[in-house]
Every structure is written in C-alpha cells, then in structure tokens.
Amino acid sequence: MCRWMAYSGEPILAEDLLFRPEHSLIDQSLHSRLGATTTNGDGFGIGWYGEGTEPAVFKSIEPAWNDSNLREIAGHVRTPLLFAHVRASTGTAVQRSNCHPFRHGRWLWMHNGALGGFRETRRDLITAIDPALFPDLEGSTDSETLFFLALTFGLTDDPFDAVARAVGLVEDVGRAHGVDDPVQMTVATTDGESTWIFRYSTARQSRSLFFSTEISRLRDLHPEVPVLHQLGGETRFVVSEPLRDLPGAWNEVMESSAGVVRPGQDELRAFRPIAPT
C-alpha cells in the first residue's frame, strides 16, 4: 500500500510540505504508523501547478528518502496545489510509469489501496476504458486503470458521479470473477482548482485518511505554533497520516465518504458506488 498528501492554499515551497513536518511524507516513506506497510520505498511522485496550463510531475523509482533530486527541486518549487505520493507496490512493476500521481490534461490522480483480483479482472476493466483515452494509459497499475475508468465515466464533468460509476464497475466485474472485496481505496484527484477525495472499500475497512482543521481555528487552539501564522486562511491538507501530533489539527474522513476541497465552502458527503445498468 502507499501514503499520500494533498495540499492547497497559499503558494508554498514543496520542501516545507515534504521534508519539514515532524511526520512528513518523507518520514512516512520509512516509518509509516497507520499504513498496511511500514516502509513505502517503491518509488514516489509529486505533481504541482505552476505557470503552464497543465500540472508538472516529477517521479522516480528511487525511495523518496534517498533521492537527492527530490530534495534539490523541493527547495525551488513553489505552488498553491501539491500532490505527493510514496509507493509500496501491490504487485505491479516498480517503474516510473507506475508511480503516482497520474496525469491527464489538467487532472492529477493518486490512490492508496488496491483493486482485489486485478490480475483476473484487468482485461475486462481495461477494455471498458474509452478507446479515445486508451492510448494515454502508460503503466500497468490498478490505480491508473481506475483513473482512466473515472475519466471514461466523466471525471472532468462530475467527479463524484464518475468515481462512483468507476467503483461500481470494478465491484461488478470483480464479483463476476469471484472476488469478494474488489475495491480498497483512498483517492485524491484535482483539476488544479478543486480537489476531490474519496475513502471507500467494499469490505468497509478502508485505509486511513484525514483532513486538516480550518487554519483560523487551529491558530486559536495553538497560538504557540509559528507555522500556523504563516499559512493562509484557505490552507487545507488531506493526508494518509497526520503530519505532526497536534491536538485538534486532524479530522478523520469517515468510512464511505467523498468530499471536495475548494476556495470557499468545502463539502463532505456519503459515497456509494453506482453499479452498471
């Protein structure tokens, strides 16, 4: 399994997000506390929005804790929206094209979890991808396949509905192949302005996921923490594990939930797969 982090808010240096927190994602790549595996060393990736019309991505099959290029660029990348992911492979090859986040146009996608029985269901799932999208499928992971299924079902128009339909299809195909628990996921996806998050598993035992408390509230709770006074009011984190032990800072995303983080009012709602008709 994997660990990931999504940040949105005032532009900030990537190194302040990746390296400086007490239990940063880099620390989690070696010492995960809540993940299915303690070490997540099968590659990493970051995606961010800057000057171009599409996000940039930097990926490597090196362990995140040991990549000097990541440390080098992290001190020079300033962005209002960052996705970061450290990977523990569930069976597919350790190669750059299998590292998250995945990109298509302006969209980024990252996933922690697995599609159960993917070896048996892969052909049926891949052939369900829109033929116009299929040439852009680069890797061999279940995570990227789920992304392209969501794109097929209209991710760019309605992410909540598209992911529900993609998950519904995966469960339907999985059960046809005798897979009891086809889906285990926490997912984040973004168009560069809003970030949608999902926590769901067929067995209702999903991997951990947390979102940060509103910054103004945190300043009231912890006026002694200098970094809180450096972050803008729209700052939000969504993380597999809390980045530091700070009472009141983190809220668990409840089982079978989906949400959107955006300027203004965020939203959290129940998530239910939509089965194929």
Side-chain angles (χ1 to χ4, degrees), residues 13-215:
L13 281 174
E15 71 175 0
D16 290 339
L17 301 171
L18 295 174
F19 290 96
R20 293 188 176 175
E22 174 185 315
H23 189 45
S24 69
L25 197 67
I26 305 304
D27 183 64
Q28 291 176 36
S29 68
L30 271 169
H31 307 294
S32 171
R33 300 171 185 169
L34 302 178
T37 56
T38 301
T39 304
N40 299 275
D42 294 328
F44 69 87
I46 60 173
W48 71 94
Y49 293 80
E51 299 299 322
T53 58
E54 295 183 359
V57 294
F58 174 68
K59 303 181 183 183
S60 173
I61 62 170
E62 298 294 326
W65 68 81
N66 196 40
D67 193 286
S68 59
N69 288 324
L70 175 61
R71 187 172 288 276
E72 179 72 21
I73 70 166
H76 297 274
V77 170
R78 186 178 296 274
T79 178
L81 201 159
L82 179 87
F83 272 22
H85 186 282
V86 291
R87 183 173 185 240
S89 172
T90 55
T92 49
V94 178
Q95 59 192 45
R96 185 185 181 280
S97 60
N98 284 345
C99 293
H100 310 221
F102 303 102
R103 176 179 61 190
H104 190 271
R106 280 195 55 81
W107 288 77
L108 292 174
W109 173 281
M110 57 186 177
H111 168 228
N112 172 39
L115 303 187
F118 185 59
R119 184 176 182 274
E120 292 72 31
T121 63
R122 181 183 177 193
R123 180 182 180 278
D124 288 352
L125 296 177
I126 286 179
T127 55
I129 294 172
D130 185 334
L133 294 170
F134 187 82
D136 296 328
L137 189 72
E138 294 184 350
S140 57
T141 63
D142 51 356
S143 302
E144 189 182 17
T145 299
L146 185 61
F147 178 30
F148 274 72
L149 287 172
L151 287 165
T152 297
F153 285 112
L155 180 72
T156 60
D157 296 319
D158 186 343
F160 288 127
D161 182 82
V163 174
R165 292 183 184 280
V167 171
L169 175 68
V170 172
E171 290 190 326
D172 186 67
V173 170
R175 286 166 179 151
H177 285 266
V179 178
D180 293 331
D181 301 318
V183 177
Q184 169 68 249
M185 72 176 203
T186 65
V187 161
T189 187
T190 182
D191 61 358
E193 296 180 3
S194 301
T195 298
W196 288 264
I197 60 170
F198 302 84
R199 184 182 186 215
Y200 175 80
S201 62
T202 308
R204 305 299 193 271
Q205 295 178 338
S206 301
R207 303 302 179 202
S208 57
L209 193 63
F210 300 84
F211 65 93
S212 59
T213 298
E214 196 172 80
I215 291 297

Side-chain angles (χ1 to χ4, degrees), residues 247-258:
W250 303 101
N251 310 275
E252 185 178 9
V253 177
M254 299 307 294
E255 177 65 52
S256 301
S257 293

